[in-house]
Amino acid sequence: MGSAADFPKIDFTSNFQNIINNALSSTPETRQAVDPSTEELLYHVPLSKQADVDKAVSVAKAAFPAWKALSYDERAGYLGRYADAIEANVSGLQELLMKEAGKPVSNAAGELQFAIAHVRETAKLRIEDDLIEDTEERRATVRYLPMGVGVGIIPWNYPVLLGLGKLGPAVLTGNTFIWKPSPFSPYTALKLGEIAAQIFPPGVVQVLSGDESLGPLFTAHPDVAKISFTGSSATGKKVMQACASTLKRLTLELGGNDASIIYDDVDVAQVVQKIGPMAFMHSGQICMDIKRLYVHEKIYDEFLAAFVQVVKSFKVGGGGDPEAFLGPVQNRMQFEKVKDLYSEIGKQKWQVATGGEPVACDGKKGFFLPPTIIDNPPDDSRIVVEEPFGPIMPVLKWSDEDEVVRRANNTNMGLGASVWSNDIEKAERLARRLEAGSTWVNSHFELSPYVPFGGHKWSGVGMDWGIVGLKGWCNTQASWVRKKF
Ligand code: NAD
């Protein structure tokens, strides 16, 4: 097995094509996505239609029997080599990720490192059969078998991690996989497909780019066995509806409106340093960013003042700015949506602790918005009720435990939630009462390839990652053996 340096380098500045059956595949029409830091059009990418989908699905279906017949160790070997090949191309991928997602260098580098580690660590996971009963008369075993052709539908905020985070578990468990990136961020996915074509047998990993009409072609396709979707709750409902007609299996990783509850016994100076990045990372465009911060009334003023200082220290800038911590909003549509929320500041007379409505800057390009904290708005205000998915959030006051639990749970969302206190037992007790797929004490959005993550309520169906995530890529089979007639 070669070292990372042995893998051929990929050209990251041209030739963005679909990967079907391990070959570059063009389409008659193409489209371009936009660099959100500059609003300049990026490279042309394929505009896939029904014929491209049909071809990719039939190739994936044909590749499935031989791929599933391999052992876990053999499939894990391919994933290990893929991780090496990605690593050999990491600098080109990083440049591309900064451009397509509007990521400052620290965020792009962090996403790639975690994604590569994710592929490597996922390859170490194994699903064992469950032996339920083994007597003289009979044996009952539960097995987990791959489903067939899987499709990963990916959003634009973490285009590499969320794509590879589905690819690894899908192919490790013996499925073949088609990656459908967001039309807003198709570039790294196509190049990761090109790298995969040098590693995997034909049809095991394929990538197709297109516009917003492409996802529904996969959810409707009769030969796709499983859809693993990450995106908004609104689109997730459409995906679920579409999958019903062919009874596809599906996993939905959807939106969040994560609450974080701060007790009055914390060291304020320490905690604001941690909460700041966890609330504003990637300009609020992470499903698991802290989106509602409940601070005990005894420390509220001190906490808010310190939190504002931390947020003010975050430099906003484009991919080319090495000191920037926060980049732009990723696309024009999201920019207009978040700006509409900022426009409520004046209308609703919200108190602004830092930031505020963006000032029109003539001729300045890029979807940049000022990081903004709203000081104790009403619980029924849009900034509390909606997922902003931009660099604006509320800080809210609480005094009674039962009441703050009720307020934190008073939402259709249930992705993550955290409790911060020096009294771990007390914090864990409170965390257990929160309705969310992940809860943390003295942390937020800690993730691991070994631990499943997903949402309760409208934040999702099923979980990705860890053994639970692997089983999501499998059909369960009960196997009975009668030892005596
Ligand atoms: P989106 O729902 O608009 O799009 C997600 C993907 O679905 C894209 O690839 C898009 O092309 C595709 N799509 C759109 N319509 C479709 C349809 N009818 N059928 C099939 N596919 C379709 O989401 P977005 O704006 O790209 O991402 C932001 C949202 O994603 C936020 O709500 C965020 O919280 C959520 N998100 C969730 C997680 C998680 O793991 N829970 C992670 C990241 C982002």
Side-chain angles (χ1 to χ4, degrees):
M1 201 177 299
S3 72
D6 298 334
F7 287 99
K9 298 279 187 291
I10 299 277
D11 172 11
F12 289 97
T13 55
S14 65
N15 209 17
F16 291 88
Q17 301 203 30
N18 286 338
I19 305 300
I20 299 178
N21 207 18
N22 275 4
L24 294 172
S25 172
S26 59
T27 55
E29 287 176 74
T30 58
R31 58 179 298 280
Q32 288 163 280
V34 170
D35 179 336
S37 304
T38 62
E39 295 181 52
E40 278 164 18
L41 286 172
L42 291 166
Y43 317 99
H44 285 266
V45 288
L47 187 57
S48 306
K49 302 283 185 195
Q50 187 71 54
D52 306 291
V53 170
D54 288 345
K55 186 163 178 217
V57 173
S58 76
V59 166
K61 195 177 170 188
F64 176 57
W67 183 247
K68 78 168 173 181
L70 297 181
S71 68
Y72 259 83
D73 287 352
E74 285 168 317
R75 292 192 297 260
Y78 281 98
L79 278 175
R81 291 193 288 284
Y82 186 40
D84 290 344
I86 297 170
E87 194 151 59
N89 285 284
V90 78
S91 60
L93 282 165
Q94 184 173 309
E95 283 295 313
L96 204 51
L97 182 59
M98 283 159 62
K99 277 189 200 149
E100 73 175 348
K103 295 204 167 203
V105 62
S106 57
N107 191 299
E111 176 174 356
L112 273 157
Q113 272 165 23
F114 188 61
I116 293 168
H118 198 286
V119 175
R120 288 214 173 96
E121 298 307 308
T122 295
K124 296 177 188 163
L125 292 171
R126 297 288 179 270
I127 305 180
E128 306 294 342
D129 293 350
D130 298 327
L131 184 60
I132 308 293
E133 187 182 317
D134 194 8
T135 62
E136 275 183 22
E137 310 216 319
R138 66 179 191 178
R139 190 172 65 240
T141 314
V142 177
R143 299 210 177 98
Y144 301 91
L145 307 175
M147 292 169 167
V149 179
V151 175
I153 300 181
I154 310 300
W156 41 258
N157 62 340
Y158 274 72
V160 173
L161 175 63
L162 297 175
L164 291 176
K166 292 190 191 295
L167 181 155
V171 302
L172 179 72
T173 44
N175 301 279
T176 52
F177 182 76
I178 302 173
W179 182 335
K180 193 212 87 61
S182 164
F184 294 114
S185 57
Y187 298 102
T188 46
L190 292 169
K191 289 297 166 186
L192 284 160
E194 216 176 305
I195 297 171
Q198 298 182 26
I199 306 289
F200 292 96
V204 173
V205 173
Q206 305 181 90
V207 184
L208 265 69
S209 106
D211 62 14
E212 290 297 6
S213 64
L214 182 57
L217 299 182
F218 284 112
T219 54
H221 203 291
D223 287 338
V224 170
K226 154 108 191 184
I227 297 282
S228 184
F229 169 86
T230 300
S232 63
S233 300
T235 311
K237 289 179 195 175
K238 289 187 199 160
V239 168
M240 196 166 191
Q241 231 165 15
C243 286
S245 64
T246 47
L247 286 177
K248 281 187 200 2
R249 277 54 183 155
L250 83 166
T251 301
L252 301 176
E253 299 289 350
L254 307 177
N257 198 4
D258 286 16
S260 200
I261 299 171
I262 319 287
Y263 273 102
D264 55 356
D265 62 359
V266 298
D267 179 329
V268 170
Q270 250 184 7
V271 169
V272 289
Q273 292 295 340
K274 297 205 163 171
I275 296 260
M278 288 168 178
F280 282 90
M281 175 90 79
H282 197 23
S283 297
Q285 303 169 103
I286 304 185
C287 51
M288 283 185 173
D289 269 328
I290 296 171
K291 294 186 179 127
R292 294 174 294 150
L293 188 52
Y294 294 91
V295 180
H296 196 279
E297 64 177 5
K298 280 193 193 153
I299 56 162
Y300 185 87
D301 293 341
E302 180 195 357
F303 189 99
L304 184 62
F307 186 44
V308 163
Q309 287 316 308
V310 171
V311 173
K312 275 186 170 166
S313 74
F314 294 151
K315 182 158 187 224
V316 180
D321 181 347
E323 287 165 16
F325 178 65
L326 300 181
V329 170
Q330 200 273 341
N331 59 74
R332 163 79 55 196
M333 191 186 70
Q334 186 65 22
F335 184 56
E336 297 301 336
K337 248 167 84 178
V338 186
K339 267 203 319 194
D340 185 55
L341 201 52
Y342 276 76
S343 76
E344 292 277 295
I345 293 174
K347 289 186 227 159
Q348 305 299 331
K349 309 224 174 338
W350 292 339
Q351 292 298 314
V352 172
T354 186
E357 290 186 52
V359 198
C361 302
D362 289 341
K364 200 158 177 251
K365 293 286 188 188
F367 306 133
F368 295 98
L369 288 168
T372 295
I373 298 172
I374 308 297
D375 176 4
N376 207 25
D379 275 1
D380 62 355
S381 53
R382 280 184 63 197
I383 188 64
V384 180
V385 173
E386 293 178 18
E387 176 189 37
F389 227 57
I392 178 167
M393 67 170 303
V395 181
L396 302 137
K397 223 177 254 187
W398 71 277
S399 56
D400 177 77
E401 274 185 6
D402 290 342
E403 185 62 8
V404 77
V405 168
R406 189 196 60 73
R407 291 165 75 198
N409 288 339
N410 186 24
T411 164
N412 284 327
M413 296 299 175
L415 194 61
S418 59
V419 182
W420 299 68
S421 168
N422 277 331
D423 182 340
I424 306 283
E425 264 181 43
K426 178 175 75 176
E428 267 198 276
R429 247 191 340 263
L430 197 79
R432 260 188 233 122
R433 298 172 64 191
L434 298 174
E435 296 163 356
S438 300
T439 66
W440 299 270
V441 166
N442 295 333
S443 180
H444 205 99
F445 76 63
E446 226 159 284
L447 294 169
S448 155
Y450 294 107
V451 180
F453 92 93
H456 293 183
K457 302 195 272 188
W458 289 12
S459 288
V461 173
M463 305 281 267
D464 267 337
W465 303 2
I467 294 294
V468 174
L470 291 194
K471 286 182 179 172
W473 283 100
C474 297
N475 283 318
T476 307
Q477 183 178 64
S479 153
W480 295 92
V481 176
R482 268 272 157 208
K483 296 178 186 171
K484 288 181 184 164
F485 287 96

